[in-house]
Amino acid sequence: MSDDVLSVIPTDPHWQPSKAAADRAAAIVADLAPGTPGGVDAEIDVTWHDRLTAVDCGQNLERIGCPHCGMSIGTEWWADLLEANCEDGFATLAVELPCCGVESALDALDYDWPCGFARFEIAVWNPDRSWFTNEELAALAEVLGHPVRLRAHI
């Protein structure tokens, strides 16, 4: 059985909130995604990472598009990149793209199923919903003090 995970991350991958702000945001997330009906409570993990960490969509990744040449970037390239940086995180998001050789940032690529990078993440395991609405994300951003975006993976 696989797990469903919704991850809320800051729009700036380097940004981290205070503990008090993160606790307030986690409380809102707990209200928004209590778990499956009649059963399992959602588990909420609030994590501060020392280095940039990939927040990916797992097997749901269908395509990565290059914002410079428009070509598709192979998911094997992405998997190799994640594997090479899984233990220590990413020192930088700068990368030479395999399709056109242009220097770019990993968070600028067009991921079909959202992926992102962060030093802070609120992950909700088995939330019994696929997404948070724009209004809910705005409420989370307000209590955190920084804009956020959602990344979902299974």
Side-chain angles (χ1 to χ4, degrees), residues 26-145:
I28 291 172
V29 166
D31 288 340
L32 295 173
T36 60
V40 182
D41 289 340
E43 180 181 329
I44 299 171
D45 293 330
V46 178
T47 307
W48 284 264
H49 300 285
D50 291 331
R51 295 184 87 175
L52 291 166
T53 299
V55 180
D56 76 311
C57 60
Q59 295 178 345
N60 287 330
L61 184 62
E62 295 178 10
R63 181 183 180 282
I64 303 170
C66 176
H68 303 283
C69 71
M71 296 295 295
S72 183
I73 299 171
T75 55
E76 304 82 24
W77 173 82
W78 172 250
D80 291 345
L81 192 65
L82 290 182
E83 186 176 329
N85 292 280
C86 69
E87 286 191 32
D88 296 326
F90 290 80
T92 179
L93 296 180
V95 66
E96 182 179 310
L97 298 175
C99 50
C100 59
V102 170
E103 188 80 16
S104 185
L106 288 169
D107 61 342
L109 302 181
D110 179 25
Y111 299 96
D112 186 359
W113 270 73
C115 295
F117 298 85
R119 291 193 56 225
F120 173 77
E121 175 184 8
I122 299 176
V124 188
W125 294 78
N126 302 310
D128 194 40
R129 64 185 296 176
S130 297
W131 302 98
F132 292 130
T133 66
N134 289 338
E135 293 78 19
E136 292 165 339
L137 290 174
L140 290 169
E142 186 173 331
V143 299
L144 282 172

